[in-house]
Amino acid sequence: MGSGEQRGEPGPGGGGQGQGQVKASRWALVPPPARAALEPAARPGRAEPERGSGNPGRMVSIALEVTCSFVAWLFLYACCCYWNKGRSYEWSCRLVTLLHGVIVTCLSGYAALLDGPWPLTHAGSPNTALQIHVLSLTLGYFIFDLGWCLYFQTEGDLMLLHHTLSICGMIMVLGLGKSATEVNAVVFVSEITNPLLQTRWFLREMGRYHTLLGDIVDFFFVSLFLVLRIGGGALIMHAMVTSPDPSWLLKAGGLAMYVVSLGFMVEICRFVRRKMMKKNISWTGLRSVNAPVKTNGHLTAH
């Protein structure tokens, strides 16, 4: 036997098999206690566990993060109620909703547009750390807001369905460990109009809605809703449905969410129609008041 074979070095044409045998033999010499401690990192060919249901420790971490998010939003709501004792509970809740909309719009927009991956080409890809944090933060808020809406019974069936589908979708994505890319993009196009929606409500409460500022807020709200939530949402849904990676149940939930958005669009179109009719009546009345009186050169009777 040659010296090279005694050292376990590969002969001509047997490099890969020889190296694998050497690694396996060396691994067999490691004592069992040390082998158990080093196995996740040192075991040849061992794959890293996937985020989500395949990693119980990761799921416990996500559950703890969602719980902390829920407690944080609840605590913020309690503080708003304390600081605004002269206001209604809805005032405080909408302050929390406004803050959530601004924060999550910025975070989800950064995750979707800058950090990646691109949702229109990578639907069903594994969750990134930033996407998990954003969805955990959002999930905690939606649980808080759904509980508030059910307790005070201030919202209709469409909004309750929207919140329920959102919660189920985020739980599924965090549990599966994938598809947060497209769900995060849906959060972005959905929440970007939320600060404007809350601003409309606060302007109405303060008696400043029927002003130029109210018209500007309405214009940007309707425009962003139609362009991003309806137009952008359709692109995201197409990418999700045509990709083979996302779960079929997630695809069905995404389509249901888009149908809910179409329901909101119908309500918004009705609102725009009513507002334009009121504006038209107001402008017609103003023109009739300011129009000169035609008398054909004769004085009108008094």
Side-chain angles (χ1 to χ4, degrees), residues 28-75:
L29 295 176
V30 178
R35 191 187 307 174
L38 297 174
E39 189 173 8
R43 179 68 175 176
R46 186 178 180 88
E48 181 183 358
E50 183 184 3
R51 297 187 184 97
S53 58
N55 189 345
R58 185 62 182 172
M59 285 304 300
V60 172
S61 175
I62 292 175
L64 181 61
E65 192 171 348
V66 173
T67 303
C68 291
S69 171
F70 169 76
V71 172
W73 294 117
L74 185 61
F75 177 75

Side-chain angles (χ1 to χ4, degrees), residues 237-294:
M237 286 302 103
H238 178 267
M240 180 188 297
V241 172
T242 56
S243 174
D245 296 324
S247 167
W248 67 268
L249 188 58
L250 186 64
K251 293 179 180 181
L255 290 175
M257 279 290 295
Y258 192 73
V259 171
V260 171
S261 295
L262 292 178
F264 286 137
M265 184 191 69
V266 172
E267 293 183 353
I268 290 175
C269 290
R270 291 174 179 172
F271 155 76
V272 172
R273 181 174 176 272
R274 289 194 303 267
K275 184 163 186 175
M276 294 304 297
M277 290 179 61
K278 290 180 180 179
K279 288 288 185 181
N280 184 45
I281 294 174
S282 176
W283 292 336
T284 302
L286 185 62
R287 286 197 301 267
S288 63
V289 170
N290 295 331
V293 179
K294 296 181 180 180

Side-chain angles (χ1 to χ4, degrees), residues 108-109 111-113 117-120 131 134-135 179-191 228 232-233 236-237:
S108 60
L113 303 177
W118 185 242
L120 300 183
Q131 291 170 350
V134 174
L135 292 184
S179 294
T181 299
E182 57 269 32
V183 173
N184 178 82
V186 171
V187 170
F188 171 68
V189 298
S190 300
E191 290 298 320
L228 292 180
I236 298 171
M237 286 302 103

Side-chain angles (χ1 to χ4, degrees), residues 77-96:
Y77 169 71
C79 292
C80 290
C81 291
Y82 178 79
W83 294 330
N84 299 275
K85 294 180 179 180
R87 300 286 186 176
S88 64
Y89 291 122
E90 186 174 3
W91 179 282
S92 299
C93 184
R94 287 187 180 268
L95 283 177
V96 175

